[in-house]
Amino acid sequence: MSGQIKNLYKVQKKDISKAGVALADAFQHDSIWRMFFRDEATIEQKGTLFESPIKFCFKYGEVYASSEYLEGIAAWVPGDFADMTFWRLMRSRAIISGMKSMRACTKLALKQGHIFGPLQADRNANMKGRAYIYLMIIGVASKFQGQGFGRKLLGGLIEESEQARIPVYVETHTEKNVRMYENLGFRQLKQITLPVINFPQWEMLREPKA
């Protein structure tokens, strides 16, 4: 595990737009995110929405890529900043990217707060009083998937967790990802069904090794 974070590329301000497009490409076939975008929306238009978590984590946490070529992107924050409040969105300018993306989005996108609200409530309850790292988003561009870039990014995150001696918290909505996280030492805390869209979500935690 030693030195894995050093092998990652720290995303710069100039990279944010391209990183958003990389995430949009990574999630273009995702069952949940497809529901939020209009059929005619381009990858570039979708990318503006994915700039929001990147900008948020750029301000309050860390954003890394697998290399300067941005094959994969991971963004995380300290647990104290896991909630994307209105003022934090304003200060990080993440809200601007969200507003720019509205033409590419369906009306369902306006209900994101209601849809994902239960995850935030559970996260606050599960981690009450504890320091932790929250993995806000991770994705690998479609042509680079299956080549180990996701594990490379997670390796850097886990290394940071181990060094800080605090756990990593993540949510995922596919059983395939659940198995992957479990293989990396995560355990399931809870499975829920998101309101409105009725998709499952698994809440998971990885404690640092003793």
Side-chain angles (χ1 to χ4, degrees):
M1 188 70 69
S2 179
Q4 290 205 33
I5 197 76
K6 294 180 180 178
N7 293 326
L8 300 180
Y9 172 74
K10 194 164 188 177
V11 171
Q12 307 298 306
K13 193 172 183 178
K14 65 180 176 64
D15 302 313
I16 290 176
S17 179
K18 290 182 179 179
V21 171
L23 285 174
D25 179 67
F27 289 100
Q28 63 177 311
H29 301 301
D30 182 88
S31 54
I32 288 183
W33 285 106
R34 285 182 66 181
M35 300 175 66
F36 288 100
F37 292 108
R38 301 183 189 280
D39 292 339
E40 68 274 15
T42 65
I43 290 293
E44 287 73 21
Q45 289 174 323
K46 295 175 182 179
T48 57
L49 182 62
F50 286 98
E51 287 178 23
S52 291
I54 295 172
K55 287 182 176 179
F56 188 88
C57 294
F58 193 85
K59 171 71 173 177
Y60 296 110
E62 305 282 351
V63 185
Y64 283 98
S66 47
S67 79
E68 61 186 304
Y69 300 107
L70 310 182
E71 303 96 341
I73 308 293
W76 59 81
V77 291
D80 289 345
F81 293 96
D83 294 349
M84 298 178 76
T85 66
F86 175 77
W87 290 113
R88 288 172 181 172
L89 288 167
M90 287 287 289
R91 292 189 187 103
S92 63
R93 301 180 66 83
I95 199 169
I96 296 174
S97 296
M99 292 173 66
K100 286 181 179 179
S101 70
M102 284 299 101
R103 288 185 180 180
C105 294
T106 65
K107 291 182 179 180
L108 187 64
L110 299 175
K111 299 181 179 181
Q112 284 190 60
H114 178 62
I115 294 170
F116 296 109
L119 290 177
Q120 177 178 315
D122 278 353
R123 187 170 63 246
N124 290 336
N126 290 334
M127 304 306 293
K128 185 176 181 179
R130 296 194 65 187
Y132 66 100
I133 299 172
Y134 176 53
L135 177 58
M136 186 165 286
I137 193 165
I138 182 170
V140 176
S142 56
K143 69 178 180 179
F144 298 111
Q145 291 176 7
Q147 299 178 38
F149 291 111
R151 282 184 173 267
K152 181 179 180 180
L153 289 163
L154 288 170
L157 170 59
I158 290 170
E159 180 181 77
E160 185 169 303
S161 163
E162 294 287 350
Q163 291 176 349
R165 308 305 300 158
I166 57 176
V168 179
Y169 192 100
V170 67
E171 296 122 0
T172 187
H173 63 274
T174 69
E175 293 191 57
K176 178 181 178 181
N177 285 345
V178 170
R179 302 287 88 78
M180 177 191 69
Y181 284 120
E182 287 179 334
N183 288 337
L184 291 171
F186 287 78
R187 63 182 175 88
Q188 297 183 42
L189 297 178
K190 187 179 180 181
Q191 180 185 349
I192 68 170
T193 300
L194 296 177
V196 183
I197 60 176
N198 295 318
F199 271 90
Q201 283 276 338
W202 285 266
E203 301 162 358
M204 305 189 73
L205 187 72
R206 185 190 187 279
E207 299 281 359
K209 293 181 179 179

